[in-house]
Amino acid sequence: MINKHQPASNPPPAGDVRGVTVSSPATVANVVCGFDILGFALNSPCDEFTLALSDEPGVQIINLDDFNLPTLAEKNVSGASLLALLDETPDVKGFTLYSKKQIKPGSGIGSSAASAAGPVVAANHLLGHRFSKQDLVRFAMFGEKVASGVKHADNIAPCIYGGVTLIRSIHPLDIISIEAPPLHVTVVHPQIEVRTSDARQILKQQVLLKDAIKQWGNIAGLVAGFIKGDYDLIGRSLEDFIIEPVRSILIPGFDEVKKNCKSAGALGGGISGSGPSIFMLSRDADTAKAVEVEMIAVYEKIGLAYQTHVTTINMEGVKIS
Ligand code: HSE
């Protein structure tokens, strides 16, 4: 493998006919009750990747941001995904990837999934769309494994497919796009880092049957609510009896954010992925803005830096620019 360490100031290959630029969206995994099986894509923030075919074997990674992510392909989320794709494309020598991330690693809104998914969608474009979306999810899961230690697809699938996705199974992959009514999403990212691998480590390995019953009632209710466009059912189903009670203690202000945002009219919400971001769903843009005000008030009071996003569900997934 060729792995060059190059300065972040290297420009992408302007006008390179063998290159393509993609916008790869942030995602919300779990959607409260669907640990590892539900997710949706966001219209912002998005990462930007430019990928070019290369005559040098392997994947060269050139970072155009300040996150200082590894440039060794095997240790880089994008690199590992592209290497998995290269394993199935013997006619292709290699790629050069220019990575310009906006989604902060460790934020809980699918930074690693955006890094994994964007480059393989770009590669598929360069290679004449020879792979299915499901194949691309399969490649990108190698990247996700570099980040979190396990292959899960609840960020990657919505990142590639867009919209709300259900991952009924990862062995074999069975991904179902779920219809959803218009939804507004407010996200607050308190500026602490929670590593997905750590947030998975603390989970209990056993679940009480009484909790499982409530949980699968909510998952079924949430999916039904999305498909029927029933906002009240969506709101009632956004409850997590298994993961949130354990993980929420890692997030300062979590209970207050949740309570105040629901009082402001949010349908409901909870931890985005493995946190620390918290997301809330609302029926309309005004409520989503009011929810942002509540989130800001909590973190101003606590004195913890934060970032917010008010956005909508991205129906397209990774987009060729
Ligand atoms: N389902 C994963 C988890 C998502 O909660 O650990 C990580 O972003």
Side-chain angles (χ1 to χ4, degrees):
M1 297 304 140
I2 307 288
N3 297 290
K4 287 188 179 164
H5 296 258
Q6 300 201 11
S9 56
N10 274 30
D16 185 339
V17 289
R18 300 199 308 165
V20 64
T21 298
V22 297
S23 164
S24 192
T27 44
V28 169
N30 301 337
V31 198
V32 180
C33 53
F35 179 68
D36 275 2
I37 64 159
L38 280 175
F40 59 77
L42 299 174
N43 274 314
S44 73
C46 294
D47 288 343
E48 187 181 287
F49 300 100
T50 298
L51 189 74
L53 289 164
S54 167
D55 295 328
E56 292 188 54
V59 182
Q60 291 180 63
I61 296 162
I62 297 161
N63 290 325
L64 301 176
D65 52 48
D66 296 326
F67 291 120
N68 207 19
L69 294 170
T71 51
L72 187 67
E74 290 85 348
K75 292 193 185 298
N76 177 287
V77 171
S78 306
S81 307
L82 287 168
L83 289 175
L85 181 142
L86 277 176
D87 275 348
E88 295 187 23
T89 51
D91 56 319
V92 181
K93 280 217 173 114
F95 295 109
T96 303
L97 177 73
Y98 298 82
S99 173
K100 195 170 177 185
K101 287 189 66 64
Q102 308 279 340
I103 311 167
K104 209 168 176 181
S107 56
I109 50 171
S111 179
S112 55
S115 293
V120 294
V121 173
N124 201 34
H125 183 81
L126 293 176
L127 301 177
H129 299 276
R130 62 175 80 169
F131 293 111
S132 67
K133 284 186 174 175
Q134 186 173 306
D135 289 330
L136 299 179
V137 170
R138 189 163 52 78
F139 299 139
M141 281 167 64
F142 284 88
E144 191 69 283
K145 190 167 182 212
V146 168
S148 67
V150 285
K151 285 184 179 175
H152 59 91
D154 52 339
N155 291 105
I156 290 168
C159 190
I160 290 177
Y161 284 67
V164 180
T165 60
L166 165 68
I167 297 90
R168 194 198 63 80
S169 152
I170 55 165
H171 300 299
L173 262 178
D174 190 358
I175 298 163
I176 300 111
S177 289
I178 306 288
E179 292 274 310
L183 283 162
H184 295 260
V185 190
T186 317
V187 177
V188 63
H189 173 204
Q191 304 284 292
I192 53 168
E193 189 180 341
V194 173
R195 291 165 62 93
T196 298
S197 48
D198 296 340
R200 293 181 81 88
Q201 202 83 47
I202 60 170
L203 297 177
K204 294 180 191 151
Q205 292 304 307
Q206 257 125 34
V207 172
L208 292 175
L209 183 60
K210 69 178 177 60
D211 290 337
I213 292 168
K214 289 190 275 187
Q215 193 86 358
W216 58 54
N218 279 332
I219 297 165
L222 185 57
V223 171
F226 281 140
I227 292 170
K228 287 157 69 102
D230 183 335
Y231 289 106
D232 292 334
L233 179 56
I234 292 170
R236 292 202 299 285
S237 305
L238 286 169
E239 264 190 295
D240 177 3
F241 294 96
I242 296 173
I243 307 297
E244 183 181 292
V246 181
R247 283 184 171 172
S248 60
I249 52 173
L250 301 175
I251 306 172
F254 178 82
D255 291 336
E256 204 177 347
V257 166
K258 204 170 151 183
K259 185 166 128 285
N260 295 359
C261 292
K262 282 168 95 167
S263 300
L267 297 168
I271 304 171
S272 175
S274 56
S277 287
I278 304 169
F279 81 99
M280 288 284 150
L281 293 180
S282 300
R283 242 180 238 249
D284 55 68
D286 286 348
T287 309
K289 288 297 286 178
V291 163
E292 182 191 33
V293 170
E294 297 298 334
M295 290 170 165
I296 290 171
V298 170
Y299 288 105
E300 287 290 338
K301 193 174 85 184
I302 293 176
L304 182 60
Y306 57 86
Q307 195 176 14
T308 56
H309 306 279
V310 183
T311 184
T312 46
I313 294 188
N314 173 331
M315 301 309 294
E316 201 177 354
V318 178
K319 192 167 90 183
I320 310 291
S321 301

